[in-house]
Amino acid sequence: MRSVLPVLRGCLPPLVVHLLIGVPTFLTILCARWYAAHGHCGYEDLRRRDLDGCTYDQIEAGGFVLIALFLLGAFVLVLLLLYDLRPLRTGRPLGPRLLTSPAVLVPYAGYVMAGG
């Protein structure tokens, strides 16, 4: 048991940081899913008889969601680059950070498993 503890101690801080980065990643993925489903809606859809599944609220929110998607995506990218590539300058091992980097998707995976 004593041999596992130092390994966990080395991986636990990067895991926690990647889980925290997962929160804006979760919001970015939700924006991307919404924009993929409703981003095609425009004012010309209001003239169609079937509305192509679009509502006025979806047409109005499309620009906001696209801006949020780009801003959140850039924010997540900057956080990951700053946290994961900074050890290259300081000489720290990159292994634990890259090993735990898929943890950014854990909040979204929890949402999907809960039925979202």
Side-chain angles (χ1 to χ4, degrees):
M1 185 69 175
R2 290 182 183 222
S3 62
V4 175
L5 207 52
V7 173
L8 287 178
R9 192 172 300 151
C11 288
L12 196 58
L15 178 65
V16 170
V17 170
H18 282 119
L19 286 174
L20 290 174
I21 294 173
V23 174
T25 304
F26 169 70
L27 296 174
T28 304
I29 293 173
L30 285 183
C31 286
R33 283 182 58 182
W34 188 94
Y35 198 77
H38 305 293
H40 69 280
C41 297
Y43 288 108
E44 63 275 356
D45 291 322
L46 292 176
R47 292 186 216 112
R48 297 179 65 173
R49 287 183 60 200
D50 63 351
L51 290 179
D52 195 27
C54 297
T55 65
Y56 189 75
D57 291 335
Q58 291 169 345
I59 294 170
E60 288 291 316
F64 172 73
V65 172
L66 184 61
I67 291 170
L69 176 64
F70 281 119
L71 289 178
L72 285 170
F75 180 64
V76 167
L77 182 65
V78 165
L79 285 177
L80 285 174
L81 288 176
L82 285 176
Y83 185 72
D84 287 338
L85 296 182
R86 188 179 58 189
L88 292 177
R89 286 187 288 144
T90 60
R92 291 184 182 158
L94 193 59
R97 292 178 188 228
L98 292 180
L99 184 65
T100 60
S101 62
V104 299
L105 297 175
V106 169
Y108 180 72
Y111 170 75
V112 169
M113 289 177 60

